[in-house]
Amino acid sequence: MKSLRKLAVGVTAAGLIGASTLLAGPVQAQPPGHCSVNPIAGTGAFSQCGDPVWHQVRVTCWAWWNWFSSYERYGQPAFGGFHSETACDLPFSMQTWQVLTW
């Protein structure tokens, strides 16, 4: 009975260790300046940074004139905690969003 319990504990521990490596996944590099970019209702996005760096938000939108292509929009350059914001032409047409720093 004790050996069965030890076996069950060992299998459970091995399963938890294996699951933790799968769930952890690769760590993505943090852009300089502790910046974040936040989507707004699938239409636009804004960025802000915790450190004093220049930043700008960039979004990719579906083209309303041709649904098989896309275009990019850039927000105004901003410094530190100030927001850089931009939006697509049509609601819910935003594909990607990211923050650019320099």
Side-chain angles (χ1 to χ4, degrees), residues 10 21 57 65 76 81 98:
T21 57
V57 67
W65 57 89
Q76 76 281 7
Q98 72 182 64

Side-chain angles (χ1 to χ4, degrees), residues 9 18 24 30 57 59-60:
V9 168
Q30 177 72 15
V57 67
V59 298
T60 306

Side-chain angles (χ1 to χ4, degrees), residues 38-49:
N38 303 301
I40 304 170
T43 304
F46 72 90
S47 66
Q48 64 184 12
C49 294

Side-chain angles (χ1 to χ4, degrees), residues 8-24:
V9 168
V11 169
T12 303
L16 289 175
I17 290 170
S20 69
T21 57
L22 289 176
L23 294 176

Side-chain angles (χ1 to χ4, degrees), residues 1 7 13 29 43 81 87 93:
M1 190 66 150
L7 179 66
T43 304
S93 63

